[in-house]
Amino acid sequence: MLRRILIGIVIIVGIVLAFKYCEFKKDDSTSLDYNTNLIQQQIVNVGKLIVTEGHFSEVVTYKNSNKYLLDMISFEKKALIVVNANVTVAYDLHKMKYEIDEKNKVIKIVSIPKEEITINPDIQYYNVEQSQLNAFTGDDYNKINKSVKANLAKKIEKSSLKTNAQNRLISELSKILILTNSMGWKLQYDGKTIQNETELSNDLKL
């Protein structure tokens, strides 16, 4: 009789422990799903268009001449050109590619979109001089527009506009880094685990 009671107690204890184990596994799985959803939501939050704006101005003198009779006769056209340009440098983080490794609790940034530079010049012509034998044509205006944009592109490279845009990008990505660190996850980029914002800034291939 006593033996049966002991066997019954052992069975009951075994059943209780089995339920507890199942509940523990269930809670652990729920927590992992919650962490994943929270991280995905943060990535969605930073998945936006980051736009940094700048303004550039320049004055250009355009000259062109047609020569005839062994260069003895020349017909010149020229103009003073004032350029005011609005420039934007944008990162579209909707295009960022990433992977979530739930098992190892790792967020892997696969690729970050390159910056998109948009130049919108307002070109005004002053002191225009031309002749019927050498008048301004559509080809002249196309050359001027192309030259202006090329020169502005060089100025953008030397300015702080791109650096400011990159700093804003790093600031947004740091939000993911802060969340992953606080939840015990890791953020990786290009095969390397990112520990802080300085490493994020140094390791980004932009």
Side-chain angles (χ1 to χ4, degrees), residues 17-31:
L17 290 175
F19 273 110
K20 290 292 185 182
Y21 176 76
C22 290
E23 289 179 1
F24 172 77
K25 293 295 288 182
K26 182 179 180 181
D27 290 344
D28 180 66
S29 176
T30 302
S31 175

Side-chain angles (χ1 to χ4, degrees), residues 156-204:
I156 293 168
E157 289 295 328
K158 295 179 180 179
S159 74
S160 61
L161 188 61
K162 287 185 66 175
T163 301
N164 293 340
Q166 291 172 1
N167 288 338
R168 291 188 61 192
L169 171 66
I170 292 167
S171 178
E172 288 298 320
L173 295 178
S174 293
K175 295 177 182 178
I176 302 175
L177 176 64
I178 292 170
L179 181 62
T180 53
N181 285 346
S182 67
M183 299 177 67
W185 284 54
K186 294 180 180 179
L187 181 66
Q188 290 185 349
Y189 177 69
D190 197 31
K192 179 180 178 181
T193 299
I194 305 299
Q195 301 290 348
N196 50 55
E197 187 172 325
T198 300
E199 290 186 2
L200 183 63
S201 176
N202 292 336
D203 293 336
L204 284 185

Side-chain angles (χ1 to χ4, degrees), residues 77 130 134-142:
K77 58 185 171 185
Q130 59 184 332
N134 191 15
F136 275 90
T137 64
D139 187 51
D140 289 304
Y141 296 121
N142 289 336

